[in-house]
Amino acid sequence: MNWYLIIKFLHILAVTITVGGMFARQLVRGLAKKSDDVKTVASLTNVAVRIDRAMVIPWSNAILVVGIILAVIQKWPVFGFLQGALQNWLLVSNVLLVMMLVLIPTVFVPHSKKVETILQSALAEGRITAELNAVLTDKKNKLAHHAEEIIVLIITALMVLKPF
């Protein structure tokens, strides 16, 4: 066994946990949207936040850090043709990663704050309000999460297949 194999294993582990967390989080959010009990919605929303904080956020950061280490160890061309290399799968992965990272401050964080505020008001009223229903079914947030999932799957495929 060598350092490369250990780093590669950690990278794959981080991807697995992150992707699992992303899909688990969305499954829980889907259940919350279907509930007609505001306390259940609050509980499920809390579970989704905990999945995000325990699995998605820290392990996606690990993917980035370990991926950089892996690229350095393997001397992979991180910037592809921009540095004169013939391989561009890592460059495409990095561009997709930046696109995904932009979603965090522009969509996910503002949406989470809005959900928390509206959920607290709905809990105070003891019912699912129209505002809560609207924020839980927000199309922009849904589209952004679908984009995030697709990007992660594409990056994973690029990482494994290294097609170009």
Side-chain angles (χ1 to χ4, degrees):
M1 181 149 15
N2 58 38
W3 282 109
Y4 166 72
L5 292 177
I6 293 168
I7 300 299
K8 184 177 178 180
F9 170 76
L10 291 174
H11 193 58
I12 293 168
L13 178 67
V15 169
T16 303
I17 293 171
T18 299
V19 171
M22 288 170 63
F23 284 96
R25 174 192 65 200
Q26 292 310 101
L27 178 67
V28 170
R29 285 183 177 155
L31 293 172
K33 282 191 272 189
K34 293 177 182 176
S35 178
D36 57 358
D37 177 47
V38 71
K39 289 181 182 178
T40 301
V41 171
S43 291
L44 290 171
T45 300
N46 186 43
V47 169
V49 168
R50 292 179 71 183
I51 290 170
D52 222 17
R53 290 181 182 160
M55 295 175 74
V56 178
I57 296 169
W59 288 97
S60 61
N61 289 331
I63 290 171
L64 184 60
V65 171
V66 176
I68 290 168
I69 294 168
L70 198 55
V72 169
I73 289 173
Q74 290 300 107
K75 298 181 175 122
W76 286 332
V78 176
F79 300 108
F81 75 92
L82 298 174
Q83 64 187 82
L86 297 175
Q87 289 184 328
N88 291 297
W89 67 270
L90 195 49
L91 172 63
V92 172
S93 295
N94 288 330
V95 169
L96 289 170
L97 178 64
V98 169
M99 290 169 53
M100 189 173 68
L101 291 174
V102 167
L103 295 173
I104 296 168
T106 60
V107 179
F108 300 147
V109 171
H111 183 265
S112 292
K113 289 179 180 178
K114 190 174 182 180
V115 168
E116 181 59 33
T117 301
I118 293 172
L119 184 56
Q120 291 308 314
S121 295
L123 280 168
E125 289 185 38
R127 65 181 182 88
I128 304 239
T129 62
E131 294 83 14
L132 180 59
N133 191 43
V135 77
L136 292 176
T137 58
D138 180 74
K139 290 191 189 304
K140 180 180 176 183
N141 186 62
K142 183 178 180 178
L143 182 63
H145 277 293
H146 285 317
E148 174 191 44
E149 293 160 0
I150 290 166
I151 288 170
V152 166
L153 291 175
I154 291 170
I155 291 172
T156 303
L158 290 170
M159 178 179 74
V160 172
L161 301 173
K162 299 172 184 52
F164 49 87

